[in-house]
Structures are given as C-alpha cells and as structure tokens.
Amino acid sequence: MCGIVGYIGNKEAYPIIIKGLKRLEYRGYDSAGVALLSNDSLNVYKKQGKVANLEAYSGDLDTSGTSGIGHTRWATHGAPNDTNAHPHYSESESIAVIHNGIIENYDAIRKQLLSKGYTFRSDTDTEVLCYLIEDIQKNAGTKLGESVRLALQQVVGAYALVVISKKEPNKLIAARKSSPLVVGIGDEGDFYLASDATPIVEYTRQVVYLDDEEIAVIKRGEELKIYGIDDIQKTPYVQELELHLEALEKGGYDHFMLKEIHEQPRSIEDCFRGRLNAEKGRVSLGGIREYEQKLINANRVIMIACGTSWHACLVGEYLFEDLARINVEVEYASEFRYRNPIIGENDIVIAVSQSGETADTLAALELAKSRGATILGICNVVGSSISRITDAGSYTHAGPEIGVASTKAFTAQVTVLTLMALSLANQKGTLSSTKFRGMLSELEAIPAKVKKVLESNQQIEYISGEYQGASNALYLGRGSSFPVALEGALKLKEISYIHAEGYPAAEMKHGPIALIDEEMPVFVVATKGMSYEKVVSNIQEVKARKGKIIAIVTEGDEQVREIADHVIEIPETDEHLVPLLATIPFQLLSYRIAVMRGCNVDQPRNLAKSVTVE
Ligand code: G6P
C-alpha cells in the first residue's frame, strides 16, 4: 500500500512523477503529494484524495525542477487529510521524505525527538523519520545518505522510502525493507524510482530491484551505488523489464476491471502456454519440477495467502487432494504466522499472491523458511518480493492487474494450481491415462469456453439491474464451487459495497437461512456434477422461503431453470475446472452492479491492491 515515485535527471520531474503516481494509484488513493526541487527551493504540494485532486490544486506550481519525489497514500497512521499526506518535510523544510510501510517504533522515536524540543505537524510515523534524519545530520554532520542509514538503524518496521534534500540537490537516497522499491536506470544519466516497474517502463527497461535493508545512493549523471544498512557496498543487479506499456492502458474499456475480466481467455492461455500439451499428454511447470518429488513425499503441504488468492488456494486444495491425492491445508497468512505453527524440514509452504508483496504472506513465508520448510511461490508480479525469497515457484503470467478487485489473477492462480495438481497426479499415477489426457484437453479448451461465458454480458446486465438495490446477498456452492461462492461474495462486497456472504450450500441451513426473504438474492453455483442434486435441494429450500435464486448452471440444464428466478449458463466442462468458468459471471455481475450504483470500480473505497502492511 502507498505508491512512491522519484525522478532525478535532465527532464522535468513533475510530469514523470504525476504519471507514475497515476499508475500506482491502485496501491492507495487517500491522498497524493509531490516534493520538487527547483532553483534551490524544495516545495511540497499535497492534497487529500486522488492524484487528479493534486493536479488540479498544484496547477500553478513551479514545475521546472529536474528532481522530485511523489506519493499516493493508503492511510495507516493518521487520518487521510492534507496534513498527513506525504511527502513530509523535516523541521527546517530542507529535507522531504516519502514512505510506504510502517515505522513500528515511531512513538518511541517521536518522544525522543519531542524531548529535544521538536514539534510535529502531522500524526504520521513518516514525519518522525524525516525529523530523525535531519536531527542525525545536524548532530553528526553527516551527509544525506549516511544520515538516512543511521536513522534506519534505529527503525523497527517496514519501509520503502525516498529522501530528497535541497542541501544536496543532485542526489536522491532510497531504501527498502519489506516494502518494494525499483530503481530504473535511464540512458541519459537519469534515474526513476517507484514501488513497482509500471511508472518506469516507458522510460527504461533497465531496472534494479532493491533488496531488504539496502540503500541506494542515486546521483544525477553518476553510477547507481547500493549499500547495505551495515554500510557494505554491493554491486547492483541490473535486470531487463519484460513489461509492455499497452498492458497498463485501459484499451478502450471503461474500467481496468472490465478489461481484465475480458482478458481472461488470453491470460489463462498465457498461463499454460509452454506448460501444457494435451496432444502429447504433457504438463510441466519448469519452475517447480525439481520440487515435485518433495511435494509428493512432504509431511504437510500448506498453502498460504490473503484475500482472493486465499480463495484460489481453497480451489487448489480440492484439486491437489482429488487429483493427486496430496493432503493440503489452506491458511490465511496472517493467522498462520501468529499461531506459532508446527512446521519443519519435511513441510512445504506454497504462497499464492498476485502482487508478491502482501506483508502477511511474505512474513509467513519467512517464518516457514526459518523453521526449515521448503517455500514455493505462485505470483503474478515478476521480480516481486515473494518470487525472490522462495526456493522455487511459478508465475501466473496474467499480465499487470490494475483494478483493485482481483479477476484475471484469480483465474490464472487457479490455472497454475490445476497444472500443478495434474503434473503431480501424473507423477504419482493417481489418474488413469485416459482421465489425465481428457483433463489436459479440457483445460486447453477453457479459454474458448471463458470467451463464451463472457458473451452472457447482456443477460448479466439485466440481472444486475434487478438486484442493484439489494442490501445483502448470499453466495452458495459446494465442493470447489464453494471457494467460487466466497470469491463471488468478496467481489460484490469490494466494489459495490453490498454486504454479501459466501457459504458452502449445505451450511445455509445452519444460520444464513434465517436471513432469507423475498428481498434476498441468492447466487448459487448449480452446475452438473457430483453434488448437483444436493444443490438443487438447497435451491428449493431458498425458494420455499421466497428468496430470489440466480443460478449458474451447465448449458442445457432444465431442472434448475424451472425453479430459479434467473439462470446463467456456462459451457460443460470437467467438474474440476468449473471454478475457472463459474467465477466469470460473478465477476461481471459485481462489476455491472457496482457501475449501476455509481461506485468507483477500479479504486473502491478503503481498499488497496498491494497490502504491504499487516
Ligand atoms: C488485497 C487486494 C486483493 C488481494 C489481496 C491479496 O486485499 O485488494 O485483491 O486478493 O490483497 O493480495 P495478493 O497480492 O497477495 O494476492
């Protein structure tokens, strides 16, 4: 959460920073601000709300400077107002800082500085850090980089930060611990800094991902220097970006979320490209091939994640258990890490994360690693922290996901987990060769089937119109459609602010049924398969209480059509692959309902896409 951008070079910094902030707005949009160095003065402009607010407000500022920093905030310490917006000045206003993360011991540092007579302007932890840097500089007479390093030695917590000072105008100092930071190396002696590579890609493809406790000293026109917090100099590892600019644009869609929903036929295909060949009966995930035997023989396989990625893990659990007969436990990363989990050398922890930066998932992995477990990752963002600390892993290759509510990343995660389960099943011999080959062909056919589901858009628009005024909704499913129900409910909550709950269909009787009346829409996955008849009975129970049923059914279904208020058909597929199709109408329904309710679909209130705080 929070997006940070910096630039130093020969170009005007302001437009680069504003454009970068807009690309990073998915990380938080409570406030935005810039600090620009022009003609020896360091000017901070900041405003509550989105980057567009800042632009409108800072229309007449001096933008001639060629270095500056910018921030888009997801509030942790202090209300989301102008004062608490970043950048923060030091006391003398000669230094400014932007920060993503949390300074956990900020109160102790604050008290120490208060006792020295400092007074603070904001309620933020970041301002305390900025004052500390200046205090060190004043007392020790150190240069900016060294002052930042000494300040960070006192800090407990997480940070990605960039510091600018008018006393050393040709320099930016950047540092990271647990929050991401990328340095882009331009070809004119200029440098770009950002929380991820999206603000950088249109200027350069040469990037360095900072590692934990690394400090970058960035001087205009000079080589990038990197030091550890222990002051030992390191050689920067320069990587080539594979990201493409068009992936960051809306491409004619009204919202990124809609674009991303419609990208799914392609993103699922990209995910299995080169990994799946139904004709030859082959499936292989290069990244984890070496770990397959270990997975088969593991004492425990634990999948950890947060949010939508956690739902993907739940689907993964069904797939691993049913197809490969491998026992899997699924845990919320935040619960796992604080439970003193019993975990050791023969255990495997698989983290699933779109961003690869989620603080709880990262910390849970580190804990598992410290106890000797093998750690694997399934991430979307290439070069992300999780992808770098894991022993091995597989990328989902869904391309940048910008809408805060996850859509294509979810189906790509489920695709990777399906490929893994199939590959393991093949190794273990738990599937007959006919069944195995049949499933590979079915998986290969999924992108075309997703395309077909996307054609139900018009019908979905009609259904959305009927239920846009609802205040509550229930989502039901059984087996691997239970996580689909959870994900459907989460999507509706996230972007339309309608209260929604996902339940295993059979559990409805143990509580939620009390809520059902003629006002309550109940969304049910009722596709053909093992529990079809049972789900039909659950639908009857809802109808008996006058609830409204919107059912996702297999093409040609007649039985549910007769009793449901609305049905949305999906093409027939292997039962294990239903989540990849059934989830699509739920995404579209949430999207349409949110648009009808006038909600900000891509940037729902209070949320952020990359949750780098616990
Ligand atoms: C946030 C996002 C969700 C996402 C979750 C986990 O809550 O809004 O869309 O599912 O974080 O993020 P990750 O990047 O680890 O998948």
Side-chain angles (χ1 to χ4, degrees), residues 306-309 352-356 358 361 404 406 413 494 608-609 611:
C306 305
T308 289
S309 301
V352 178
S353 172
Q354 187 285 130
S355 62
T358 303
T361 313
V404 164
S406 187
Q413 289 165 343
E494 278 180 312
K609 189 153 189 71
V611 182

